[in-house]
């Protein structure tokens, strides 16, 4: 199927619907804040923290959904008004601890380079080839081994990235980056101060930290699974093709319907990469309406867990391999 045929199928779904967008805001933000209030109320009347803590999983799932709306705003796909998306994107960015314009710039670079082995390094998961790893010095190998360790990659790293790293200005390159960084940090600070001088800083820590911990880990896991699997697509610039990168380098993460809802259907990631202007609320509909895009790599929840151990890209077999397999084949 050529690009024109693909566009004929995809473009009709690449239309923002304001009513859908506003309804999504309503059915996401209200329950998100509601469960935060529920946690506070239970703690304030003396319910033990260990009993209240598991509730954090629910607002964390809603926060993942907030991030998907934030993500759509960076692609200008969420609603018709660019100005509204810019404003809402910054508001969502405060809630998910992420500066709007810097993330938008880096994520667009991810879409332009996904699957291009010569242009790795921006907005993606750090991936070395076997030959690069073999020729690396000890400290780089150690750093890479730590980075790809599931404990760091999916638990410690996400919290560090959202809570600490994105509070720092080192990734800013443009005036818009700086503007978003200031707005986001001031917004986060305003929320912290408001909570501190009303109900107390301890409530903020007890409620917000576990929520962002769970949400950030889930978010990083989703992104990882969508582009890190055995037969993933990697090609040099001369052979790289944007359509192949979408259909072969982005997975279909088959989740239960309720998790599709919480994750904004982002599991249909190959469709998102075919055309980033398709809003999240249309991704599943397009997948169900067309049979032409059902041949991409399909991953299910339980089978996806082993992907956490993928380690290096072997250019000869054109597959990601585990560290154990690397040691067996190359040591």
């Amino acid at each position: 199927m050529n690009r024109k045929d693909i566009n004929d199928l995809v473009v009709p779904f690449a239309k923002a619907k304001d009513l859908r967008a506003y309804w999504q805001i309503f059915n996401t933000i209200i329950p998100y804040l509601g469960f935060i209030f529920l946690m506070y109320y239970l703690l304030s009347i003396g319910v033990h923290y260990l009993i209240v803590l598991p509730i954090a999983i629910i607002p964390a799932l809603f926060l993942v959904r907030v991030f998907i709306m934030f993500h759509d705003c960076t692609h200008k796909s969420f609603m018709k008004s660019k100005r509204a998306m810019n404003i809402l994107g910054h508001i969502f960015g405060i809630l998910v601890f992420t500066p709007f314009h810097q993330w938008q710039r880096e994520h667009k670079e991810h879409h332009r380079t996904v699957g291009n082995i010569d242009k790795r390094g921006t907005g993606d998961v750090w991936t070395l080839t076997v030959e690069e790893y073999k020729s690396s010095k000890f400290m780089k190998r150690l750093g890479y081994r730590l980075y790809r360790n599931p404990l760091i990659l999916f638990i410690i790293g996400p919290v560090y990235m959202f809570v600490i790293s994105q509070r720092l200005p080192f990734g800013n390159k443009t005036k818009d980056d700086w503007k978003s960084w200031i707005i986001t940090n001031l917004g986060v600070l305003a929320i912290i101060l408001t909570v501190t001088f009303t109900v107390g800083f301890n409530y903020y820590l007890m409620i917000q930290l576990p929520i962002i911990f769970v949400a950030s880990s889930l978010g990083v896991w989703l992104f990882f699974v969508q582009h890190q699997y055995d037969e993933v697509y990697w090609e040099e610039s001369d052979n790289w093709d944007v359509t192949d990168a979408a259909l072969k380098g982005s997975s279909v993460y088959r989740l239960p319907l309720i998790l599709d809802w919480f994750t904004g259907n982002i599991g249909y990631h190959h469709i998102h990469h075919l055309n980033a202007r398709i809003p999240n609320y249309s991704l599943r509909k397009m997948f169900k309406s067309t049979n032409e895009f059902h041949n991409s790599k399909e991953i299910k929840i339980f089978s996806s867990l082993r992907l956490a151990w993928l380690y290096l890209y072997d250019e000869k077999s054109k597959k990601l391999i585990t560290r154990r397999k690397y040691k067996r084949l190359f040591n």
Side-chain angles (χ1 to χ4, degrees):
M1 191 165 46
N2 60 42
R3 191 68 200 191
K4 182 182 182 304
D5 292 334
I6 290 174
N7 287 339
D8 289 341
L9 292 170
V10 171
V11 169
F13 293 89
K15 295 178 181 178
K17 299 176 182 179
D18 286 350
L19 286 178
R20 290 290 304 274
Y22 285 118
W23 171 238
Q24 192 168 63
I25 293 171
F26 179 81
N27 65 30
T28 303
I29 301 296
I30 299 301
Y32 171 66
L33 297 176
F35 276 101
I36 288 177
F37 178 78
L38 174 63
M39 292 180 69
Y40 162 70
Y41 174 74
L42 293 174
L43 290 171
S44 69
I45 63 173
V47 178
H48 197 281
Y49 184 57
L50 292 180
I51 296 176
V52 177
L53 186 59
I55 298 174
I57 295 172
I58 302 175
L61 287 169
F62 278 107
L63 194 59
V64 171
R65 189 164 159 87
V66 173
F67 194 91
I68 297 300
M69 297 190 298
F70 165 85
H71 164 265
D72 275 12
C73 287
T74 66
H75 283 298
K76 298 182 174 64
S77 64
F78 190 54
M79 53 179 51
K80 295 176 183 178
S81 169
K82 292 182 180 179
R83 185 170 183 270
M85 285 187 287
N86 189 58
I87 294 170
L88 286 170
H90 280 85
I91 294 172
F92 298 151
I94 293 169
L95 294 178
V96 298
F97 294 75
T98 306
F100 181 77
H101 283 300
Q102 180 190 343
W103 197 88
Q104 180 184 52
R105 175 175 53 77
E106 292 182 352
H107 191 63
K108 284 183 176 180
E109 183 67 17
H110 161 68
H111 272 258
R112 287 192 291 263
T113 61
V114 64
N116 189 323
I117 203 165
D118 298 324
K119 296 183 178 180
R120 289 163 290 161
T122 301
D124 55 13
V125 176
W126 186 18
T127 305
L128 291 178
T129 67
V130 168
E131 293 304 317
E132 288 170 343
Y133 185 78
K134 287 168 66 176
S135 62
S136 295
K137 294 183 178 179
F138 172 78
M139 289 306 297
K140 184 174 182 179
R141 284 193 182 199
L142 178 61
Y144 185 76
R145 183 175 177 181
L146 290 172
Y147 176 90
R148 299 288 294 210
N149 185 294
L151 178 65
I152 293 177
L153 190 55
F154 304 117
I155 297 177
I156 298 173
V159 175
Y160 169 79
M161 179 175 67
F162 284 95
V163 176
I164 299 175
S165 178
Q166 293 185 155
R167 307 284 68 75
L168 304 174
F170 304 124
N172 294 339
K173 294 183 178 180
T174 67
K175 289 182 179 179
D176 282 340
D177 286 357
W178 280 99
K179 186 192 303 180
S180 289
W181 179 77
I182 292 170
I183 291 172
T184 304
N185 282 341
L186 287 178
V188 171
L189 180 61
I191 292 173
I192 293 174
L193 291 176
T194 300
V195 175
T196 299
F197 290 111
T198 52
V199 300
F201 183 62
N202 58 319
Y203 284 107
Y204 180 83
L205 291 179
M206 288 190 293
I207 295 171
Q208 187 66 74
L209 279 185
I211 291 174
I212 194 66
F213 175 83
V214 174
S216 61
S217 293
L218 289 175
V220 169
W221 174 252
L222 281 171
F223 183 77
F224 181 89
V225 171
Q226 288 156 356
H227 296 293
Q228 296 272 322
Y229 45 90
D230 306 64
E231 310 90 348
V232 73
Y233 175 89
W234 284 104
E235 289 289 348
E236 295 177 349
S237 296
D238 291 343
N239 298 319
W240 181 83
D241 178 79
V242 65
T243 303
D244 285 341
L247 296 177
K248 299 178 182 179
S250 303
S251 68
V252 181
Y253 198 22
R254 299 305 297 268
L255 299 170
L257 186 60
I258 184 63
L259 291 183
D260 265 348
W261 188 87
F262 275 117
T263 60
N265 304 304
I266 201 64
Y268 303 100
H269 208 63
H270 62 314
I271 292 175
H272 170 62
H273 270 269
L274 279 175
N275 190 325
R277 287 299 184 92
I278 302 173
N280 74 83
Y281 43 78
S282 296
L283 289 172
R284 188 172 187 273
K285 181 180 179 181
M286 179 183 166
F287 182 80
K288 296 294 184 181
S289 301
T290 56
N291 294 320
E292 287 80 0
F293 306 120
H294 287 208
N295 294 323
S296 295
K297 176 67 175 181
E298 184 175 301
I299 303 171
K300 296 182 179 179
I301 291 181
F302 290 111
S303 63
S304 72
L305 299 179
R306 68 175 186 81
L307 302 181
W309 301 104
L310 292 177
Y311 193 63
L312 295 167
Y313 181 69
D314 179 16
E315 290 184 275
K316 292 182 179 179
S317 66
K318 290 188 175 294
K319 288 184 178 182
L320 281 168
I321 61 174
T322 63
R323 187 167 183 269
R324 180 178 294 181
K325 187 170 184 179
Y326 166 77
K327 292 173 73 174
R328 187 172 71 248
L329 295 177
F330 300 101
N331 279 359

